[in-house]
Amino acid sequence: MTVEQNVLQQHSQKHQQTLLNQLKEVTGTTDVQLLQQALQVSNGDLAEAVAFLTEKNAKVPQQDETTYYQTSQVASDRYISVGSQADTNVIDLTGDDKDDLQRAIALSLEESNRAFRETGITDEEQAISRVLEASIAENKASLKRTHTEVWSDSPNPHDRKRIDNCPVGLKNVGNTCWFSAVIQSLFNLLEFQRLVLNYSPPARVHDLPRNQKEHRNLPFMQELRNLFSLMVGSKRKYVDPSRAVEILKDAFKSSESQQQQDVSEFTHKLLDWLEDAFQMKAEEDREGEKPKNPMVELFYGRFLAVGVLEGKKFENTEMFGQYPLQVNGFKDLHECLEAAMIEGEIESLHSAENSARSGQEHWFTELPPVLTFELSRFEFNQALGRPEKIHNKLEFPSMLYMDRYMDRNREITRIKREEIRRLKEHLTLLQQRLERYLSYGSGPKRFPLADVLQYAMEFASSKPVCTSPVEDIDTSAPPGGTTGQQLPPPSTAEQDSLPPLESSGPASGPTTATTAPQQQRVPIHKPFTQSRLPPDIPMHPAPRHITEEELRVLEGCLHRWRSEVENDTRDLQGSITRIQRTIELMYSDKSMMQVPYRLHAVLVHEGQANAGHYWAYIYDPHQRCWMKYNDISVTKSSWEELVRDSFGGYRNASAYCLMYINDKKPFLIEEEFDKETGQILSGMDKLPPDLKHYVKEDNEQFDKEIEEWDTLQARKAQQEKLALATAAAAAAASAASSTSTSSSSPQPMSIESSPPDNAVPQQDPEYMEQPSPTNDSKHLQEDTERAISRAAAEQEERSPEALLNAAIKLEYGRLLRFAQEDTPPENDYRLQHIIVYFIQNQAPKKILERTLLTQFADRNLAFDERCKSIMNVARAKLDLIKPEEVNMDEYEMWHQDYRNFRETTIFMMTGLELFQKTNYVEALMYLVYAYQYNKELLLKGLYRGHDDELLGHYRRECLLKLNEQAAAMFESGEEPEVTTGLGIMNELVVPCIPLLLLHDTERDLLAVEDMRNRWCSYLGQEMESNLQEKLTDFLPKLLDCSTEIKSFHDPPKLPSYSTLELCERFSRVMAALGRVPSDGR
């Protein structure tokens, strides 16, 4: 049998076995011939096969569990795992050999029984789980619908430009984050990267591909080469993998079954295709010799299955690719591996006697350079009828020593395993003994014995202090808590009814009764006080009768017993710690640390069983740090972040695949050197000529895109500049005309009408000057006039210049006090005057002076001669300021910052007003833009913007409210409501989620988690098929963890407010908020 036939049979075997397992689980039928007949009749359609079996009412024959071991006695190598590279005697499920078929089914049954004994989950359940948790985007080929783009490219190519030699990301072209995670992990294996880049198709293929496999695999290989070349030399921040993805996805749209494969199957398929492509090349290069496939050399290893069946030993060598591991029930990777390497009852495997017990062990004979573990984190919940993700924590090391699993260390490992088993048994006994000390008692509530003895000692040592219930009342104060009101004395009858104990109690006596009437007892009317006398009740639990001798003996015993218990507890804890340490160090001797594997990549899944998002953490050995590859986003990370997201037990994220590399084979991650110069090859130098040309063309196209963008922006800027110049000229002409007609006397030249040389015409900001005193400048005019009046009253010299200087000084002093005053949020003096904003943010003195001069140069002051003369002096001073004295670019920058502050305030104020009115749809955009703009302001200084925690709180709350509204609409089931609800999520909530993920704050992350959990909770509920389809289409967008800012709404248009209106409305809004929530300011 040729290798190519082997490959085809292996693919057929895997596909058919998957369908058999699914059909067996759904119908409960285990008759393999009947199952195969059903699949044949239905042409591979699972639903039709189930219907066929249901109509047949097939009976389930019993399978002999020991059949599996009979197959193990065949003394030949067998390839049973991932990949198509085989040795001999492949089990052929497609032929007519029923013995082969029975052997394969028996093998599957025993595997199922072993998995069920260890985890409580059968292999059939795992198979169904893997199929059912398939990526939502690839849910079913029969669902013909158009997926909308999750996000779109930024129109500005500079945003998509690669920075220096940063790693290149991969664009998510429609729920393909799994592809990005797998490809990035493989690409960063430099040996694998070199193999792909330098691959050349067989020469004969250039004429005509011989079969369907070549028609499919070779185009995919070429697209993968193109993709890798762009990831090496592109000028883009991220590249588009659409062509390679489409070829890979199309292969799963089988005509036999509409069922799409899960993510793990995609990974297997990817490696299978690569293996096939390299196999064709290897066969051509080494005709007549056994070809070596570099993919097999890199990713595949061998293990020896050693077993005993009723006293008969057997050994088989088998090949493996990605090694599957169960997660449920284990705390770390070594525990998973230990369980996977031992099957059944293994005592007889290395015992002197040949007992009837059966079992087998796996021992690695050859490990691949790249060792991949597939973590099974999904199980099928029979009660709920749906797959569930296992969120249990599973730890794994950054350096994994595989010596204990190697066949050459078989005897040593067995001895150590036996020693560990003995130590664990002893450890269990010690822990049980310790538990008796720490949880003492026979009832439902138990306590540490040392504490029980301490409590007994405290009880025995307590002194009895007795009183009646009446004495528990504090007679110095009434129940209301006031002390000034005197209480009426009790009547004679009441006094006679009190117990005799009262006459000798500490609160009684003639002195107390006559000198302090306010402390007299309150009459308590209770049934028992009127009927009979109660027994003496101690104030605190204490012995009623105990002699000094008894107390001394008891205290001595309790002290001694407590000391003994504490010593025993410490001894047990010390013994447990020593045994645990011994077990941990069992394999730490040098002889068992000769096969080191370093963690190269961790592929992470976040979400539930039916939907989620994938990304990868990959170690960069040159920068000595971990990198996070999340679609187009590639960022530096840390081991701590990897642990948080990968170990599990924290939110819904956990590793599903671990990729280790042999630490003694540095060629896997070493850069390639130029043979002539000895220099490291990087960038385009790595690429063969055909790929250099391909990347060069793409880079030229991107450069052209940037050039066209820059030209367009320059043209727009020029048009805006011309428009501004035209507006400025029109304003200057209008100002000159107004000045000439207002008075016949000569006026000083204004900066607007005749700017000095080299000065850019400047228009005063709208908050500094308005054409009419009825608008925004009215408050400024009033402030200015008050300053002038005060200056005139205090200043002896009455010249306009002296009055101007004095008025400016007074106005500055007033504003300085405002800037230094600690005010509540609703009284923000920065909104009242720009100078307050400048002072708080330490603007340069020259900026302050020019701004104040502009205020006093306002033409609206010219209502009397004194103000007019001061205005003219101020305008003349402005004209005399030389360009080198005040940097006008800096001046304009400060005023632009203030305009941005006012604009941000309006966004914030409007958003909060709408939020208070429960208009969350409109409020969201205002709050989102207020938060984003405010964040930019705060980057320049603490007082440049508003409280970011307050804004963050209401932005977060608004999203949560919208999520609740949309979920309620979806739950209604009414088509218009469902459409509106999903529209809210797709258009408003989903685009905002990256904003919450961007800064990684705990409250924002929890809010995102709450929103996602709400929608994931619908996965197991019964609903109409159209709702299920809509949910299936929507969930991947919600679960996308990319922090890339996606296509977004334009900011809302803002109304124009005068300063007075703005301050009043802002004050009302902030006051209406009341107390800021605990997670707010």
Side-chain angles (χ1 to χ4, degrees), residues 650-666:
Y650 179 76
R651 302 205 303 270
N652 290 333
S654 54
Y656 77 93
C657 183
L658 305 176
M659 192 177 289
Y660 285 87
I661 58 176
N662 193 323
D663 203 44
K664 290 188 174 181
K665 296 183 177 179

Side-chain angles (χ1 to χ4, degrees), residues 904-913 1057 1062 1065-1066 1069:
T904 301
T905 303
I906 297 173
F907 273 118
M908 173 183 175
M909 178 184 70
T910 309
L912 291 175
E913 282 179 333
Y1057 293 107
L1062 179 60
R1065 290 190 66 175
F1066 182 80
V1069 170

Side-chain angles (χ1 to χ4, degrees), residues 21-22 24-26 30 108-130 326 328 376 378-382:
N21 287 340
Q22 295 174 37
K24 188 187 303 179
E25 178 63 29
V26 172
T30 54
S108 175
L109 282 173
E110 178 54 23
E111 286 288 327
S112 301
N113 291 331
R114 178 185 67 79
F116 183 79
R117 287 195 298 270
E118 295 178 356
T119 66
I121 306 167
T122 66
D123 273 0
E124 288 78 17
E125 291 170 357
Q126 290 289 343
I128 289 183
S129 172
R130 285 195 299 270
Q326 293 293 330
N328 210 10
S376 177
F378 300 97
E379 63 182 359
F380 192 81
N381 188 319
Q382 295 280 18

Side-chain angles (χ1 to χ4, degrees), residues 830 933-949:
R830 294 175 298 174
Y933 292 160
N934 192 65
K935 204 80 177 174
E936 296 173 9
L937 289 172
L938 292 178
L939 291 175
K940 296 184 177 182
L942 181 62
Y943 300 103
R944 295 288 187 122
H946 296 285
D947 187 344
D948 62 327
E949 289 190 10

Side-chain angles (χ1 to χ4, degrees), residues 405-651:
Y405 311 108
M406 301 303 295
D407 181 54
R408 61 175 177 267
N409 296 322
R410 188 194 306 184
E411 297 305 320
I412 298 175
T413 301
R414 282 174 174 170
I415 294 171
K416 289 182 178 293
R417 282 179 180 170
E418 180 61 28
E419 178 66 13
I420 289 174
R421 186 190 63 79
R422 187 185 63 80
L423 287 172
K424 284 186 174 180
E425 288 178 355
H426 186 44
L427 181 64
T428 301
L429 294 175
L430 292 177
Q431 288 172 334
Q432 291 173 350
R433 288 179 59 188
L434 179 62
E435 184 65 18
R436 297 190 190 104
Y437 281 93
L438 298 179
S439 298
Y440 186 80
S442 57
K445 292 185 178 180
R446 304 192 178 195
F447 304 93
L449 180 54
D451 291 349
V452 173
L453 295 172
Q454 177 64 28
Y455 300 153
M457 197 176 342
E458 292 172 359
F459 173 78
S461 304
S462 300
K463 301 297 182 183
V465 179
C466 298
T467 182
S468 74
V470 180
E471 290 297 324
D472 291 337
I473 304 298
D474 181 8
T475 58
S476 63
T482 59
T483 58
Q485 182 179 356
Q486 291 190 355
L487 299 175
S491 65
T492 306
E494 289 168 347
Q495 292 180 15
D496 292 341
S497 70
L498 294 175
L501 177 66
E502 301 300 323
S503 61
S504 59
S508 63
T511 305
T512 305
T514 57
T515 60
Q518 72 273 18
Q519 296 183 2
Q520 291 176 353
R521 292 184 298 276
V522 179
I524 303 297
H525 298 280
K526 294 185 180 179
F528 76 86
T529 62
Q530 308 297 331
S531 59
R532 62 183 178 83
L533 300 177
D536 292 347
I537 299 176
M539 287 283 287
H540 307 287
R544 296 295 182 90
H545 305 289
I546 186 169
T547 65
E548 291 295 330
E549 181 64 24
E550 289 173 338
L551 180 60
R552 187 172 65 254
V553 172
L554 185 57
E555 283 185 339
C557 291
L558 290 172
H559 271 295
R560 185 175 70 255
W561 294 341
R562 186 169 185 271
S563 297
E564 291 172 356
V565 168
E566 288 178 340
N567 290 335
D568 290 347
T569 303
R570 278 195 297 270
D571 290 343
L572 284 170
Q573 289 173 334
S575 298
I576 289 172
T577 301
R578 285 192 296 275
I579 291 176
Q580 289 174 335
R581 185 64 177 162
T582 301
I583 293 174
E584 289 174 3
L585 299 177
M586 187 63 70
Y587 295 99
S588 62
D589 52 292
K590 194 173 182 179
S591 63
M592 299 298 284
M593 300 176 70
Q594 300 301 308
V595 188
Y597 272 76
R598 183 178 59 75
L599 187 62
H600 164 70
V602 180
L603 278 65
V604 180
H605 173 269
E606 182 180 46
Q608 303 296 334
N610 294 64
H613 180 67
Y614 297 86
W615 70 89
Y617 290 101
I618 303 172
Y619 186 72
D620 187 333
H622 308 292
Q623 296 190 56
R624 297 176 180 265
C625 70
W626 286 92
M627 302 292 291
K628 182 178 181 179
Y629 290 80
N630 192 348
D631 290 336
I632 69 172
S633 172
V634 182
T635 55
K636 278 191 177 182
S637 184
S638 63
W639 175 253
E640 290 72 27
E641 182 183 359
L642 183 152
V643 166
R644 186 194 70 186
D645 287 349
S646 306
F647 278 12
Y650 179 76
R651 302 205 303 270

